[in-house]
């Protein structure tokens, strides 16, 4: 929408920030299911406070003992706090 000049970049950033906050709150309050995964770590990186893991031949095991298999998965993880926050 920004590329099509339908909304201003500042508004887009506000929408993304609100979405991120709302999703984090809902996940913290409503989701109680856990899963475990096991696979072969192919590649990992840490750049600009962001971890990236590429895992191959991965198996996910859910609380209800269902399993899901995938050839490869990319996990991206970052700190919830902005740099400089305590």
């Amino acid at each position: 929408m920004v590329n099509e000049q339908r909304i201003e970049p500042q508004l887009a950033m506000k929408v993304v920030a609100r979405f991120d906050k709302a999703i984090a709150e809902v996940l913290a309050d409503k989701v109680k299911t856990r899963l475990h995964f096991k696979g072969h770590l192919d590649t990992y990186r840490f750049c600009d406070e962001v971890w990236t893991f590429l895992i191959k031949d991965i198996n996910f095991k859910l609380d209800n003992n269902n399993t899901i298999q995938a050839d490869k998965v990319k996990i991206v993880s970052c700190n919830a706090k902005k740099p400089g926050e305590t």
Side-chain angles (χ1 to χ4, degrees):
M1 294 176 94
V2 173
N3 291 340
E4 297 168 357
Q5 297 180 343
R6 295 174 72 190
I7 63 172
E8 295 292 322
Q10 296 85 358
L11 178 59
M13 293 306 295
K14 286 183 182 180
V15 170
V16 169
R18 282 197 182 170
F19 175 82
D20 288 347
K21 184 177 179 182
I23 288 295
E25 289 173 359
V26 169
L27 289 175
D29 293 340
K30 305 287 182 190
V31 178
K32 304 298 181 206
T33 303
R34 296 184 185 269
L35 79 97
H36 303 274
F37 62 90
K38 188 174 185 178
H40 301 284
L41 182 61
D42 183 53
T43 307
Y44 66 93
R45 295 183 196 95
F46 182 69
C47 182
D48 296 331
E49 300 293 320
V50 176
W51 280 101
T52 304
F53 301 93
L54 299 173
I55 306 169
K56 290 187 175 180
D57 301 322
I58 189 164
N59 291 308
F60 295 95
K61 186 173 182 180
L62 301 154
D63 280 344
N64 60 7
N65 289 327
N66 285 347
T67 59
I68 301 170
Q69 296 180 327
D71 293 333
K72 57 184 171 179
V73 171
K74 182 178 186 177
I75 299 173
V76 179
S77 174
C78 60
N79 192 345
K81 296 180 181 177
K82 295 177 184 173
E85 283 185 348
T86 57

